Amino acid sequence: MPSQRSDRIRKLLADLVGFDTISDRTNLPLIAHIENYLAAFGIKGERITDVTGQKASLWVTIGPEDRPGFVLSGHTDVVPVVGQDWSHDPFKLIERDGKLYGRGTTDMKGFVAVCLAMVPEMLEAKLSTPIHLAISYDEEIGCVGVRPMLADVAKKKVRPLGAFIGEPTEMKVIIGHKGKHGVRATFHGLARHSSIAPDGVNAIEYAAELITEIRRRAVKLAGEAERGSLYDVPHSTLLTSIVHGGAALNIVPDTCTVDFECRGIGITESREVTDAIVAWAKAELEPAMKTKCPECSIDFEEILDYPALDTKADAAIVTLAKQLAGRNDHAKVAFGTEASLFASMADIPSVVIGPGAIAQAHTPDEFVAIVELEKCAGFVEKLIAHCAEAAA
């Protein structure tokens, strides 16, 4: 890779890592930095700000706006570093042994840095097919920020031909991932002194029945594994992940919350599975609680939702991704991405392909190998050439 371009990628990645964009904080300084960078090339993006005014996505078009093009998409938020044993400041880029260390280097500021570094090449190519940059926020807490942006994109007169979502895949072409639906169940029981426990309604014990049912259904799903599946876990998964309840040993607990999730292979399977569990609890557990105390109840709240991705292996966007990546294989992954929302909300065929390994994401001393960034730059370089030729 030309040293000048490599230096641009390093500088941009250092800048991006330097912004603490953990999901509970604003990303506006980072967005402003990207806007200033693009302005130096005469490019102005569309900023989509959330209702709080503290978060924003950015939609950028390079090339003709009246023709369908291709999207390069990445998110700006990162996961927390609290409780992790970092050997250096996680928000300062460190280079060591061919790797660039820092929070978000792999997930997924490395991809964003590559895309931004390639802007001069995009302009020089005088694209006949446009390239769009879709830069979002709060992906890590449920693909939140991309939704308003996609709602706007879906209204545009010209719809993109396809999207490449740059989550870390080691530049493998990913055509599918599981969907996810997360639910919080809050049990409202009846507190009593533990010496007269039968007079109370034990929220934790009823929550335990829900947890047992979730486990039973998870085992059933595991027995329905698909033969020849491209997934490393070839079935939908279901689990309880967080439980809170109780105040003291001598008090019958009157509240308990249970967070559970399903990751489903089918497009809407994750929601179907959790909806069935909610219906079971309402039919079996809640009436039993109300028998003792009519005010007792179970409240259910959706805490996260995105559909599965299932792009056909022979789709044009998959064929193009393989050509640009210089490979013939494709795969599916268990982790979720914004790709499924590009497909479901805006009808944009999508694949996931980006630098770095998912094993490094969310870890202390997160890093991306420089060779991975070079591969990604080569991918974008070929996309630029494709978009310069496509309508010539």
Side-chain angles (χ1 to χ4, degrees), residues 138-273:
D138 287 357
E139 186 271 350
E140 298 289 2
I141 57 173
C143 300
V144 175
V146 76
R147 298 175 197 252
M149 179 165 55
L150 287 175
D152 284 356
V153 171
K155 297 174 186 176
K156 293 182 182 294
K157 293 181 179 179
V158 180
R159 191 184 75 215
L161 296 168
F164 304 104
I165 286 69
E167 292 281 3
T169 70
E170 299 175 284
M171 295 309 292
K172 297 173 184 175
V173 178
I174 304 302
I175 65 171
H177 65 65
K178 295 178 180 180
K180 180 175 177 178
H181 195 229
V183 177
R184 174 169 296 138
T186 302
F187 288 76
H188 302 283
L190 180 63
R192 286 292 183 267
H193 192 284
S194 62
S195 65
I196 53 171
D199 291 344
V201 178
N202 193 317
I204 290 179
E205 289 182 356
Y206 279 101
E209 292 193 41
L210 175 68
I211 294 169
T212 299
E213 181 66 12
I214 289 170
R215 175 60 182 162
R216 186 189 70 78
R217 295 182 183 225
V219 171
K220 185 174 183 294
L221 287 172
E224 299 171 354
E226 295 183 0
R227 290 186 177 181
S229 174
L230 292 177
Y231 286 104
D232 54 354
V233 180
H235 57 81
S236 296
T237 59
L238 177 65
L239 80 155
T240 301
S241 52
I242 302 175
V243 181
H244 291 295
L249 183 61
N250 60 354
I251 301 175
V252 174
D254 62 351
T255 60
C256 185
T257 60
V258 176
D259 291 3
F260 62 98
E261 69 159 43
C262 178
R263 291 180 183 260
I265 291 176
I267 299 296
T268 60
E269 183 181 359
S270 49
R271 176 183 284 274
E272 292 164 2
V273 169

Side-chain angles (χ1 to χ4, degrees), residues 12 30-47 58-62 116 119-120 123 133 135:
L12 282 161
L30 181 149
I31 291 295
H33 180 79
I34 293 175
E35 288 174 326
N36 290 335
Y37 170 80
L38 294 171
F41 298 102
I43 299 170
K44 181 176 176 59
E46 301 173 44
R47 184 189 279 209
L58 195 63
W59 177 262
V60 180
T61 300
I62 301 172
L116 293 174
V119 166
L123 294 174
L133 305 181
I135 301 171

